[in-house]
Amino acid sequence: MADFQSELKGLSEEEVRQRVGEGKVNISSNLKTKSVKRIFYDNICTLFNAINVVLFIALLVVGSYKNMLFMGIVLANITIGIVQEIRSKISVDKLTILSEKKVSVLRNGKIIEISKEEIVLDDILVLSRGSQIPADCVVCKGECKINESLLTGESDLILKKENDELLSGSFIASGKCFAKVNKVGADCYAAKINNEAKYIKKVNSQILKSFNFIIKLCTFVIFPIGIFFFFRQFGIQGGDIQGTVVSTVAAIDGMIPKGMILLTSTVLAVSVIRMSSKKVLVQEMYSIESLARVDVLCLDKTGTLTTDKMNVTDIINFVADENEVKTALSSIVSASDEINATLYAIKDCVGETKPLNCSKFVPFSSETKWSGGTFYNGKSYVIGAAEFVFPDREKYKEVFDEIEKISQTVRILVLASSDCAISESEIPQNLTPMAIVLIKDTLRDNVNETVNYFKEQGVTLKVISGDSVKTVKNIALDTGIEGAENAVDMTTITTDDELYEAAEKYNVFGRVTPIQKKKLVIALKNHGHSVAMTGDGVNDVLALKEADCSVAMASGSDAARNVSQLVLVNNDFASMPDVVAEGRRTINNLERSSSLYMVKTIYSVILSIFFIFFHMQYPFEPIQLTLIGAFTVGIPSFVLALQPNKNIIKGNFTFNIIARALPAVVCVVTNIITAAIVCKFIALPTDEFSTICVYTTAISCMLLVIRLSLPVNALRAVMLAVCTAGIVLGSIFFGQFFSLAPLSIDGLVLLAILVAATIVIFNILFSLAQYLVKNYTIVYATYKRILVKICVSIKRLIHKIIIRGKKNDIQ
């Protein structure tokens, strides 16, 4: 390096300043985590929050302060979302800072260290073993072997000589060189891949889609209903603005399932904390649901299924004894200037065996597939692929016969010796077979158990790697990936149609380019799959961004971590089953608890429309809904949402929660409309009518809580007791605060009749709802068939009318 340094001077300070002024600086274009400002904006500026602020202001203006308690839920929801996202941002930014290293550059004839963002165009980089290339450059002095696996997924080392290009993001595996920067910032290869991933990724969450649908629907319904309802109630209440606003807010507030959104944020935040204890960092809360629903999991080979290590599983000797074989192997390792997993495996195998001094050594290359040297004992030792070391298969038949007997999925190398010296890069003559060395990638701990877990859960595993097809196939076979024997070489896939078919047909892919990885994920999604993707390199970024759920290893590239929704901090694929189990517990419980919130949303919409046309005061005040909500929705939903649940997620989230909510909705609406009509005939006071509505609604909702709590355990039994006691004691001791009136004999009789009918009707309807939820697929298929038949019948009818009309015109 000193000789090179005397020939090269690098840029002067003036030249550096000039390039900085021209903007030719290696400004990082890595994908960044979301800014704190953006996090606050995304959590505060939502349609949900806007609606609640309008309602809050309306109550504030008329001075109805006790009815403003619902804003506590809104503020809690905002706080949880902001805290969780900032927490994840800090964790990921720390990982990025820890992985950042200084870069050595030659300036004014001296080697100095700077950050990679201070590099300018035409800088001379000083690169040696272990250096990561920070910007695209061209070798101007020296030579090296580089590892481009983070860019291409290909693990073979590539020799780079003078005038060869080095791509940013790759690593120097061996050798030393000076390289001149020819591209900086966004023009670099790695930056271009990152830039393709710089788009806002929509979260594939049924829960989020359901919430957005409900909120949008409520928004369209709220404003017209709110306006009509306000003027209708204003007339009924004789121009009392405060009473009218309170009634209107109560009606509108009931339509918004804000408790459901708070519950979801809280439960997902709890899941995030639980996952962090298992060394899993969650950057997007709803990705917990996405991973729990996936039916295809795409895996990278290196870093996911395997570690970066290899190990020698066996050595099959020929004429040489064990000591001679170990001496030859130790000598080759000692003479080699490379750093790679194969040589480390051999080094571990030979242990403290003393190596021989080397007089001439030829390093391994992807063209020759062998390496070796001539040593001071007068012998030459060579190691490499059998077909390259022994091109004459007949002459060395015993070697190839022995290889044929090997059934393990291993990498096979042969060791040979010769009395002839190595000349240049030509393999020596008269080689004598010494041994067959069996080497294999080291599988991650518990990887087989993890693979079996996903297979048992009905998740299809697909290995997508830039490595050779043979290597990927062997690893997939070892880990038990189904269909590994039919591994496909993606260099043979030339059209998008072929890729689309291959994505569904095969499970193991080798020689995959970054663009093909992305296309495979898209193809799988187009086949109707929910797709998760794991990866650690720049070559995985596009596919990670496209997947429904993306999982990165913490040891991987900054870009891979920043675009991923989940980061495995300990780089352990075995954490995945825990993540899936946590997701299923969360989603199944949220689905069950969300039904409680949907009850109020649906009956509030129906009742608001009813009381626009029915000349009677709306029966609820916001404070009464707070009492009902606290003990029939709030407390039960949180208890049920945190219970163990490992069931496979089935059906559609929106359909399931609405189906379970409808029995209670039917009972609430029927009771209130019936009570409203009866009160017109028996002249029951308005305050008694309101009280009956509160009691019947509370009972209908409690029946739903009881059914959702089955089977009852100790915690659920306590919860049911507390909720029942809360409603009873609140009604007795705080009746005036909750605007509840004592009931007359007529009121008590009406209440008793309604309660008895509610118990019978609810249980019949809920049993029907459970059947529909369990048979969602059949129900949905039947619905589609009926809809298609109706459409076909209408089409035929229209066709007949048109034909008949034409005949009439002719006549």
Side-chain angles (χ1 to χ4, degrees):
M1 293 287 273
D3 292 338
F4 295 158
Q5 190 175 340
S6 64
E7 299 176 24
L8 300 169
K9 296 295 182 182
L11 297 175
S12 65
E13 292 183 6
E14 178 59 33
E15 288 173 323
V16 171
R17 282 195 295 270
Q18 181 181 346
R19 283 161 175 75
V20 170
E22 293 171 352
K24 298 175 180 177
V25 186
N26 193 46
I27 296 172
S28 175
S29 60
N30 276 348
L31 294 165
K32 302 294 184 182
T33 52
K34 193 186 291 185
S35 67
V36 173
K37 180 180 177 181
R38 179 63 184 269
I39 290 171
F40 272 87
Y41 178 84
D42 287 350
N43 283 276
I44 294 173
C45 300
T46 67
L47 180 61
F48 168 77
N49 292 339
I51 294 170
N52 282 285
V53 168
V54 171
L55 299 181
F56 173 82
I57 293 172
L59 291 172
L60 184 66
V61 169
V62 298
S64 183
Y65 304 117
K66 73 175 183 178
N67 287 303
M68 293 159 54
L69 294 176
F70 66 86
M71 279 302 294
I73 295 176
V74 178
L75 294 174
N77 187 52
I78 293 172
T79 303
I80 290 170
I82 291 174
V83 170
Q84 191 279 324
E85 287 200 46
I86 290 178
R87 176 180 169 278
S88 294
K89 172 185 168 58
I90 292 171
S91 299
V92 174
D93 289 346
K94 281 182 180 178
L95 287 173
T96 301
I97 292 169
L98 288 173
S99 65
E100 192 170 70
K101 296 179 180 179
K102 293 288 186 179
V103 180
S104 296
V105 298
L106 184 63
R107 288 181 180 174
N108 290 317
K110 296 180 180 179
I111 296 175
I112 62 172
E113 288 192 340
I114 61 175
S115 72
K116 62 183 181 182
E117 294 194 355
E118 293 178 282
I119 295 171
V120 298
L121 191 67
D122 299 325
D123 252 330
I124 303 295
L125 304 179
V126 184
L127 303 170
S128 58
R129 191 172 70 181
S131 300
Q132 184 175 23
I133 300 167
D136 289 1
C137 50
V138 175
V139 178
C140 50
K141 286 293 181 180
E143 63 179 45
C144 59
K145 287 191 175 181
I146 68 168
N147 182 335
E148 294 184 342
S149 60
L150 281 180
L151 298 177
T152 65
E154 169 60 67
S155 61
D156 287 345
L157 301 183
I158 302 171
L159 179 64
K160 297 287 185 176
K161 299 180 180 180
E162 287 188 25
N163 298 319
D164 286 342
E165 188 175 30
L166 305 179
L167 298 178
S168 57
S170 52
F171 285 87
I172 305 294
S174 66
K176 302 171 184 177
C177 71
F178 287 88
K180 186 176 183 179
V181 175
N182 63 345
K183 293 177 184 176
V184 291
D187 294 328
C188 293
Y189 177 81
K192 288 178 180 178
I193 293 179
N194 288 344
N195 289 334
E196 287 190 49
K198 285 185 178 179
Y199 57 89
I200 302 300
K201 177 180 178 180
K202 292 182 179 180
V203 181
N204 185 20
S205 164
Q206 284 194 26
I207 294 178
L208 195 58
K209 288 177 182 176
S210 178
F211 289 170
N212 288 336
F213 170 75
I214 292 167
I215 292 171
K216 287 178 181 178
L217 185 63
C218 289
T219 304
F220 285 115
V221 169
I222 280 171
F223 289 107
I225 289 180
I227 293 169
F228 283 115
F229 189 88
F230 177 84
F231 288 108
R232 183 65 168 171
Q233 293 293 305
F234 188 74
I236 293 172
Q237 298 193 18
D240 179 11
I241 189 67
Q242 184 183 48
T244 303
V245 169
V246 169
S247 295
T248 304
V249 171
I252 294 175
D253 182 53
M255 300 179 201
I256 309 169
K258 53 183 170 291
M260 182 167 68
I261 296 170
L262 173 61
L263 171 73
T264 302
S265 299
T266 304
V267 172
L268 289 176
V270 170
S271 291
V272 169
I273 294 169
R274 284 178 172 172
M275 287 189 189
S276 66
S277 68
K278 300 179 187 296
K279 304 300 181 183
V280 177
L281 175 64
V282 181
Q283 302 195 79
E284 166 57 59
M285 286 200 298
Y286 287 97
S287 63
I288 297 171
E289 178 202 0
S290 301
L291 185 57
R293 292 185 185 276
V294 298
D295 60 349
V296 172
L297 176 59
C298 298
L299 310 171
D300 188 25
K301 178 186 74 69
T302 305
T304 302
L305 298 177
T306 66
T307 64
D308 293 328
K309 283 188 172 184
M310 290 182 167
N311 66 293
V312 176
T313 60
D314 195 12
I315 296 178
I316 303 171
N317 295 336
F318 290 107
V319 295
D321 61 30
E322 183 179 346
N323 288 333
E324 187 179 357
V325 169
K326 285 192 173 182
T327 299
L329 292 172
S330 179
S331 301
I332 291 172
V333 171
S334 177
S336 178
D337 190 37
E338 290 186 9
I339 176 170
N340 62 42
T342 301
L343 291 178
Y344 272 131
I346 294 173
K347 184 178 180 180
D348 290 340
C349 176
V350 299
E352 300 298 322
T353 303
K354 188 176 180 181
L356 300 168
N357 291 328
C358 181
S359 59
K360 170 77 175 176
F361 190 81
V362 177
F364 178 88
S365 75
S366 56
E367 290 81 20
T368 62
K369 300 292 184 184
W370 64 268
S371 66
T374 301
F375 299 87
Y376 284 126
N377 66 346
K379 286 184 175 292
S380 294
Y381 297 124
V382 173
I383 190 170
E387 60 270 27
F388 287 85
V389 176
F390 303 125
D392 190 342
R393 295 180 70 96
E394 289 301 320
K395 182 178 178 180
Y396 297 100
K397 187 174 184 299
E398 61 173 326
V399 176
F400 289 96
D401 286 346
E402 195 65 40
I403 290 174
E404 287 294 323
K405 298 176 185 177
I406 298 170
S407 58
Q408 302 178 55
T409 54
V410 291
R411 181 174 296 181
I412 300 172
L413 300 176
V414 294
L415 176 68
S417 66
S418 175
D419 293 328
C420 302
I422 287 180
S423 174
E424 295 301 328
S425 296
E426 293 182 4
I427 199 161
Q429 301 298 311
N430 302 320
L431 287 171
T432 301
M434 293 179 68
I436 295 174
V437 183
L438 307 183
I439 301 177
K440 70 188 306 181
D441 291 277
T442 303
L443 297 179
R444 288 196 172 276
D445 294 337
N446 303 318
V447 69
N448 293 94
E449 291 85 344
T450 305
V451 169
N452 288 334
Y453 168 83
F454 282 110
K455 288 197 293 188
E456 291 168 0
Q457 298 299 313
V459 177
T460 301
L461 298 177
K462 292 182 182 285
V463 183
I464 303 177
S465 174
D467 219 331
S468 69
V469 178
K470 184 177 179 181
T471 302
V472 180
K473 175 182 175 180
N474 289 342
I475 294 300
L477 286 170
D478 277 352
T479 52
I481 303 290
E482 292 181 352
E485 63 280 359
N486 297 319
V488 61
D489 185 344
M490 288 300 289
T491 60
T492 64
I493 304 296
T494 57
T495 68
D496 287 344
D497 289 340
E498 289 178 347
L499 186 143
Y500 181 81
E501 295 300 324
E504 184 75 3
K505 184 178 180 181
Y506 300 104
N507 288 344
V508 178
F509 304 84
R511 301 296 187 200
V512 188
T513 66
I515 296 297
Q516 284 179 325
K517 284 191 176 187
K518 176 183 176 181
K519 287 183 176 180
L520 283 171
V521 171
I522 293 173
L524 289 167
K525 290 169 66 175
N526 289 339
H527 277 292
H529 296 292
S530 180
V531 183
M533 173 78 190
T534 67
D536 60 356
V538 175
N539 63 306
D540 298 316
V541 167
L542 298 179
L544 287 169
K545 191 77 174 182
E546 191 63 45
D548 295 313
C549 181
S550 48
V551 184
M553 302 294 169
S555 61
S557 68
D558 298 345
R561 287 197 301 270
N562 291 346
V563 302
S564 294
Q565 296 158 319
L566 299 172
V567 178
L568 304 184
V569 177
N570 60 355
N571 306 301
D572 190 0
F573 178 56
S575 303
M576 294 289 283
D578 289 332
V579 178
V580 174
E582 178 65 26
R584 287 181 174 172
R585 182 198 65 76
T586 300
I587 306 312
N588 280 319
N589 288 338
L590 277 177
E591 190 177 275
R592 181 168 53 184
S593 297
S594 295
S595 299
L596 298 171
Y597 292 96
M598 283 306 298
V599 173
K600 189 177 74 165
T601 296
I602 298 173
Y603 77 60
S604 293
V605 172
I606 296 172
L607 291 177
S608 297
I609 295 171
F610 174 77
F611 281 99
I612 287 175
F613 300 100
F614 194 81
H615 191 76
M616 198 169 186
Q617 184 176 329
Y618 191 73
F620 297 122
E621 292 184 15
I623 193 64
Q624 293 171 335
L625 294 175
T626 300
L627 172 67
I628 297 171
F631 294 108
T632 68
V633 181
I635 295 174
S637 65
F638 274 89
V639 172
L640 293 175
L642 298 175
Q643 291 282 284
N645 193 325
K646 296 182 180 180
N647 298 331
I648 295 175
I649 300 173
K650 295 181 180 179
N652 178 275
F653 182 84
T654 306
F655 177 85
N656 291 350
I657 63 173
I658 292 177
R660 291 194 177 105
L662 282 177
V665 170
V666 171
C667 291
V668 170
V669 171
T670 303
N671 286 336
I672 292 177
I673 292 176
T674 302
I677 295 171
V678 171
C679 288
K680 283 287 186 179
F681 288 99
I682 63 174
L684 203 66
T686 301
D687 55 352
E688 283 196 50
F689 165 64
S690 176
T691 302
I692 290 172
C693 292
V694 171
Y695 290 156
T696 55
T697 301
I699 290 169
S700 298
C701 293
M702 272 305 299
L703 287 172
L704 179 58
V705 173
I706 293 169
R707 289 299 296 264
L708 293 175
S709 300
L710 299 177
V712 177
N713 56 24
L715 180 60
R716 293 175 187 175
V718 171
M719 178 265 293
L720 291 172
V722 168
C723 291
T724 303
I727 294 172
V728 173
L729 295 176
S731 302
I732 295 173
F733 296 105
F734 300 96
Q736 186 174 358
F737 177 78
F738 290 111
S739 302
L740 299 175
L743 296 180
S744 62
I745 299 297
D746 290 340
L748 289 171
V749 171
L750 177 59
L751 178 62
I753 294 171
L754 293 175
V755 169
T758 297
I759 294 172
V760 175
I761 295 171
F762 174 84
N763 284 292
I764 293 172
L765 293 177
F766 192 83
S767 297
L768 176 61
Q770 287 289 74
Y771 172 82
L772 294 175
V773 169
K774 289 179 181 178
N775 297 278
Y776 169 77
T777 305
I778 299 172
V779 171
Y780 182 69
T782 304
Y783 160 77
K784 284 186 71 175
R785 283 199 303 271
I786 294 172
L787 190 62
V788 168
K789 287 181 179 179
I790 292 172
C791 292
V792 170
S793 299
I794 293 173
K795 186 177 179 181
R796 287 175 179 171
L797 181 61
I798 294 172
H799 184 67
K800 287 180 180 179
I801 292 172
I802 292 172
I803 291 174
R804 192 172 298 169
K806 288 181 178 179
K807 286 181 179 179
N808 291 335
D809 291 340
I810 292 171
Q811 292 174 357

mmCIF file of all heavy atoms in Angstrom, residues 128 135 195 215 298 314 399 472 480 540 560 594 599 692 781:
data_model
loop_
_atom_site.group_PDB
_atom_site.id
_atom_site.type_symbol
_atom_site.label_atom_id
_atom_site.label_comp_id
_atom_site.label_asym_id
_atom_site.label_seq_id
_atom_site.Cartn_x
_atom_site.Cartn_y
_atom_site.Cartn_z
ATOM 1 N N SER A 128 -9.440 -2.193 2.151
ATOM 2 C CA SER A 128 -8.743 -3.424 2.532
ATOM 3 C C SER A 128 -9.750 -4.419 3.060
ATOM 4 O O SER A 128 -10.959 -4.132 3.128
ATOM 5 C CB SER A 128 -7.673 -3.126 3.586
ATOM 6 O OG SER A 128 -8.261 -2.525 4.726
ATOM 7 N N ALA A 135 -19.253 4.043 -1.903
ATOM 8 C CA ALA A 135 -19.739 4.681 -3.134
ATOM 9 C C ALA A 135 -19.178 3.908 -4.318
ATOM 10 O O ALA A 135 -18.128 3.263 -4.217
ATOM 11 C CB ALA A 135 -19.295 6.139 -3.189
ATOM 12 N N ASN A 195 -33.871 3.915 -3.973
ATOM 13 C CA ASN A 195 -34.817 4.906 -4.495
ATOM 14 C C ASN A 195 -36.058 4.268 -5.094
ATOM 15 O O ASN A 195 -37.142 4.832 -5.043
ATOM 16 C CB ASN A 195 -34.131 5.788 -5.545
ATOM 17 C CG ASN A 195 -33.128 6.740 -4.922
ATOM 18 O OD1 ASN A 195 -33.256 7.093 -3.747
ATOM 19 N ND2 ASN A 195 -32.127 7.136 -5.682
ATOM 20 N N ILE A 215 -65.067 4.241 9.636
ATOM 21 C CA ILE A 215 -64.949 5.678 9.881
ATOM 22 C C ILE A 215 -65.442 6.485 8.677
ATOM 23 O O ILE A 215 -66.153 7.478 8.824
ATOM 24 C CB ILE A 215 -63.493 6.049 10.228
ATOM 25 C CG1 ILE A 215 -63.126 5.461 11.599
ATOM 26 C CG2 ILE A 215 -63.306 7.555 10.251
ATOM 27 C CD1 ILE A 215 -61.666 5.588 11.947
ATOM 28 N N CYS A 298 -41.627 -15.964 2.306
ATOM 29 C CA CYS A 298 -40.442 -16.023 1.440
ATOM 30 C C CYS A 298 -39.193 -15.798 2.279
ATOM 31 O O CYS A 298 -39.110 -14.824 3.033
ATOM 32 C CB CYS A 298 -40.531 -14.953 0.346
ATOM 33 S SG CYS A 298 -41.944 -15.174 -0.763
ATOM 34 N N ASP A 314 -17.224 -34.125 7.387
ATOM 35 C CA ASP A 314 -16.493 -35.391 7.276
ATOM 36 C C ASP A 314 -15.327 -35.228 6.299
ATOM 37 O O ASP A 314 -15.346 -34.359 5.423
ATOM 38 C CB ASP A 314 -17.435 -36.502 6.779
ATOM 39 C CG ASP A 314 -16.854 -37.899 6.975
ATOM 40 O OD1 ASP A 314 -15.830 -38.017 7.694
ATOM 41 O OD2 ASP A 314 -17.408 -38.852 6.410
ATOM 42 N N VAL A 399 -12.459 -41.663 -7.241
ATOM 43 C CA VAL A 399 -12.889 -40.437 -6.564
ATOM 44 C C VAL A 399 -14.366 -40.169 -6.845
ATOM 45 O O VAL A 399 -15.169 -39.923 -5.928
ATOM 46 C CB VAL A 399 -12.035 -39.234 -7.008
ATOM 47 C CG1 VAL A 399 -12.570 -37.945 -6.372
ATOM 48 C CG2 VAL A 399 -10.588 -39.445 -6.646
ATOM 49 N N VAL A 472 -28.604 -23.569 -2.764
ATOM 50 C CA VAL A 472 -29.919 -23.245 -2.188
ATOM 51 C C VAL A 472 -30.754 -24.515 -2.033
ATOM 52 O O VAL A 472 -31.422 -24.712 -1.015
ATOM 53 C CB VAL A 472 -30.659 -22.216 -3.080
ATOM 54 C CG1 VAL A 472 -32.026 -21.892 -2.484
ATOM 55 C CG2 VAL A 472 -29.845 -20.953 -3.221
ATOM 56 N N GLY A 480 -35.930 -29.074 5.377
ATOM 57 C CA GLY A 480 -37.253 -29.691 5.234
ATOM 58 C C GLY A 480 -38.243 -28.872 4.445
ATOM 59 O O GLY A 480 -39.456 -29.063 4.581
ATOM 60 N N ASP A 540 -32.543 -7.272 -1.185
ATOM 61 C CA ASP A 540 -33.865 -7.683 -0.703
ATOM 62 C C ASP A 540 -34.828 -6.505 -0.549
ATOM 63 O O ASP A 540 -36.023 -6.707 -0.304
ATOM 64 C CB ASP A 540 -33.743 -8.383 0.663
ATOM 65 C CG ASP A 540 -32.907 -9.641 0.595
ATOM 66 O OD1 ASP A 540 -33.104 -10.417 -0.349
ATOM 67 O OD2 ASP A 540 -32.061 -9.843 1.490
ATOM 68 N N ALA A 560 -32.422 -2.352 4.365
ATOM 69 C CA ALA A 560 -33.320 -3.478 4.646
ATOM 70 C C ALA A 560 -34.032 -3.280 5.975
ATOM 71 O O ALA A 560 -35.231 -3.548 6.100
ATOM 72 C CB ALA A 560 -32.529 -4.788 4.656
ATOM 73 N N SER A 594 -63.847 -6.454 19.323
ATOM 74 C CA SER A 594 -64.357 -5.381 18.456
ATOM 75 C C SER A 594 -65.852 -5.493 18.215
ATOM 76 O O SER A 594 -66.521 -4.495 17.930
ATOM 77 C CB SER A 594 -63.609 -5.399 17.114
ATOM 78 O OG SER A 594 -62.256 -5.090 17.301
ATOM 79 N N VAL A 599 -71.522 -2.881 18.175
ATOM 80 C CA VAL A 599 -72.922 -2.845 18.604
ATOM 81 C C VAL A 599 -73.398 -1.399 18.706
ATOM 82 O O VAL A 599 -74.421 -1.013 18.129
ATOM 83 C CB VAL A 599 -73.109 -3.574 19.953
ATOM 84 C CG1 VAL A 599 -74.538 -3.377 20.468
ATOM 85 C CG2 VAL A 599 -72.800 -5.052 19.807
ATOM 86 N N ILE A 692 -85.435 3.140 30.735
ATOM 87 C CA ILE A 692 -85.721 1.788 30.211
ATOM 88 C C ILE A 692 -84.768 1.471 29.057
ATOM 89 O O ILE A 692 -84.249 0.355 28.940
ATOM 90 C CB ILE A 692 -87.191 1.696 29.760
ATOM 91 C CG1 ILE A 692 -88.116 1.730 30.972
ATOM 92 C CG2 ILE A 692 -87.433 0.417 28.951
ATOM 93 C CD1 ILE A 692 -89.589 1.827 30.620
ATOM 94 N N ALA A 781 -69.128 -17.979 -0.650
ATOM 95 C CA ALA A 781 -69.235 -18.626 -1.962
ATOM 96 C C ALA A 781 -70.695 -18.698 -2.413
ATOM 97 O O ALA A 781 -71.020 -18.462 -3.581
ATOM 98 C CB ALA A 781 -68.625 -20.020 -1.905
#
